[in-house]
Amino acid sequence: MTAEAVPTRKRVLTGFRPTGPLHVGHLAGNVGNAIRLQDEGYECFYFVADWHMLTTHYDRVDELPGSVEGLVLDLLASGIDPERSVVYRQSDLPEVAELALLLGMIVPLGWLERVPTFKERLRDMAERDIANYGLLGYPVLQTVDIAIVKGELVPVGEDQVSHLEISREIVRRFNRLYGDVLVEPQPLLSDTPLVPGSDGRKMSKSLDNTIDLADEPEAIRAKVRSFVTDPQKVRRGDAGRPEICPIFALHRRFSPDIADWTDENCRTGALGCVDCKTNLADRLIEQLGAFRERRAELAQTRGLVEKVLGEGAEKVRPVARATLAAARAAMRFG
Ligand code: TRP
């Protein structure tokens, strides 16, 4: 679809926490979706959720500037285009903080305590001290991110559905109490299957099982070699089950033209895992080559990230100011 084919440009918004280098799971998931929506001509607001990062990393703020810089370079190199999408940083908008304070007043504690990701985070990071007000309030801040730009569509993965549901409830409650000011966002569910990492679990930096977009060819080969495969297929000749093999899941996504062939020859045993992995590594190296070149080039452009974020902030600021002013007025802080 071209830009002209979208009659009224719906406004899309999504945020990215600066958690570390982007990996192929991101490209197959939320980052890939963001690029597609931009290319389909939606009006896109994409931002770095650096305040959200504090919910789990408040004691690691030294890492934050580098992570933000790295994330923006990764996003630009993978195809997010600041000429077509508004790319900005959450913390450049004090309006977000003020609206978060106001919205926080009307959010029942029970709604927040029930969010599955809240309990999961506490459990998964049990060794860290993160049972804070900020973490509990994560969905409130996220609601503000969306509401402040009047975001209509939010591309979400399965794990974010509960957050968006809460956002819709908070917006409805605000509008009921103070008048029809905020826009209720809709989820844009994508059917992108989760990409598994080297251990077969969801690819994720915290599990240390990723293939990063910026990895050198040799690192990609080594990582692909380290992936688990069907444990029943020990050597070439053994019949394999592609449907349970992480390598095959990556083939489906990154080498669709040979995926059926791979499926067939894995099942008959004609294709061994070593060759199958080599095929995948070749494709990944080919596809990530352009990314690596572009990223290296962008990283050399002095001041680029600050320029992009500065311009993005200027574009989003009037929108954020208008929403905040309307919310303040509705709450009699005219
Ligand atoms: N919670 C998202 C994540 O884990 C990041 C995020 C922050 C976000 N604010 C948002 C996503 C608003 C969509 C809309 O990556």
Side-chain angles (χ1 to χ4, degrees):
M1 218 191 318
T2 63
E4 295 76 40
V6 179
T8 50
R9 296 180 75 212
K10 284 253 185 189
R11 190 170 284 184
V12 169
L13 170 127
T14 196
F16 302 94
R17 277 180 311 137
T19 49
L22 291 186
H23 51 68
V24 299
H26 292 120
L27 198 60
N30 58 351
V31 173
N33 283 336
I35 296 167
R36 189 171 46 77
L37 292 164
Q38 163 192 281
D39 293 346
E40 287 178 359
Y42 286 91
E43 187 184 11
C44 298
F45 287 76
Y46 295 143
F47 71 96
V48 178
D50 53 349
W51 278 336
H52 272 112
M53 200 60 200
L54 293 179
T55 59
T56 49
H57 286 59
Y58 63 88
D59 55 352
R60 304 186 181 183
V61 290
D62 287 349
E63 298 169 12
L64 210 49
S67 307
V68 171
E69 166 111 8
L71 172 61
V72 174
L73 288 172
D74 278 357
L75 290 173
L76 299 181
S78 55
I80 303 275
D81 173 7
E83 299 289 319
R84 287 183 287 158
S85 298
V86 183
V87 178
Y88 60 101
R89 169 169 52 199
Q90 185 182 37
S91 65
D92 284 332
L93 295 178
E95 293 82 2
V96 168
E98 185 173 343
L99 189 57
L101 181 141
L102 295 176
L103 282 198
M105 302 297 167
I106 65 161
V107 181
L109 218 40
W111 291 7
L112 298 173
E113 286 165 345
R114 273 202 303 273
V115 174
T117 43
F118 175 61
K119 288 182 221 137
E120 279 163 26
R121 282 262 153 77
L122 287 184
R123 203 189 47 224
D124 294 348
M125 302 176 116
E127 76 292 353
R128 309 249 315 274
D129 214 352
I130 59 165
N132 293 326
Y133 173 59
L135 184 70
L136 183 68
Y138 189 114
V140 180
L141 186 56
Q142 177 153 332
T143 302
V144 172
D145 294 328
I146 303 166
I148 202 121
V149 305
K150 297 188 162 33
E152 299 171 277
L153 297 174
V154 183
V156 286
E158 281 302 324
D159 51 338
Q160 290 286 320
V161 173
S162 62
H163 283 163
L164 203 72
E165 203 36 60
I166 263 217
S167 293
R168 290 159 56 83
E169 285 184 75
I170 296 173
V171 164
R172 284 200 291 267
R173 187 169 165 95
F174 183 97
N175 288 348
R176 207 172 340 106
L177 283 165
Y178 307 114
D180 217 357
V181 169
L182 302 180
V183 174
E184 198 177 315
Q186 307 288 334
L188 200 62
L189 273 164
S190 66
D191 53 4
T192 40
L194 281 185
V195 167
S198 56
D199 53 1
R201 293 186 289 172
K202 176 187 171 184
M203 190 179 286
S204 152
K205 178 179 160 68
S206 56
L207 297 175
D208 196 19
N209 63 2
T210 65
I211 298 172
D212 297 341
L213 300 188
D215 277 341
E216 302 281 338
E218 273 323 302
I220 294 178
R221 284 194 195 287
K223 286 183 179 182
V224 168
R225 270 197 301 271
S226 79
F227 264 62
V228 297
T229 52
D230 180 355
Q232 282 182 15
K233 185 169 166 65
V234 180
R235 57 182 58 83
R236 190 207 302 238
D238 296 346
R241 295 167 296 173
E243 68 276 10
I244 64 154
C245 179
I247 288 290
F248 185 71
L250 288 173
H251 267 299
R252 270 267 173 256
R253 174 61 181 73
F254 293 98
S255 57
D257 57 318
I258 57 165
D260 286 344
W261 176 88
T262 302
D263 182 294
E264 228 168 86
N265 287 278
C266 169
R267 280 180 205 288
T268 62
L271 177 65
C273 293
V274 173
D275 290 339
C276 180
K277 285 177 165 178
T278 304
N279 293 344
L280 177 69
D282 289 345
R283 293 308 180 91
L284 281 173
I285 289 165
E286 190 185 308
Q287 288 173 54
L288 297 181
F291 170 90
R292 277 198 310 125
E293 270 172 39
R294 243 180 88 65
R295 196 187 189 288
E297 222 175 274
L298 293 168
Q300 296 217 326
T301 317
R302 295 264 310 267
L304 175 77
V305 169
E306 281 310 311
K307 178 166 171 286
V308 166
L309 293 177
E311 289 173 0
E314 289 318 306
K315 287 187 211 160
V316 68
R317 202 179 311 282
V319 185
R321 286 210 172 129
T323 309
L324 178 63
R328 285 183 54 121
M331 293 178 79
R332 308 295 180 266
F333 291 101

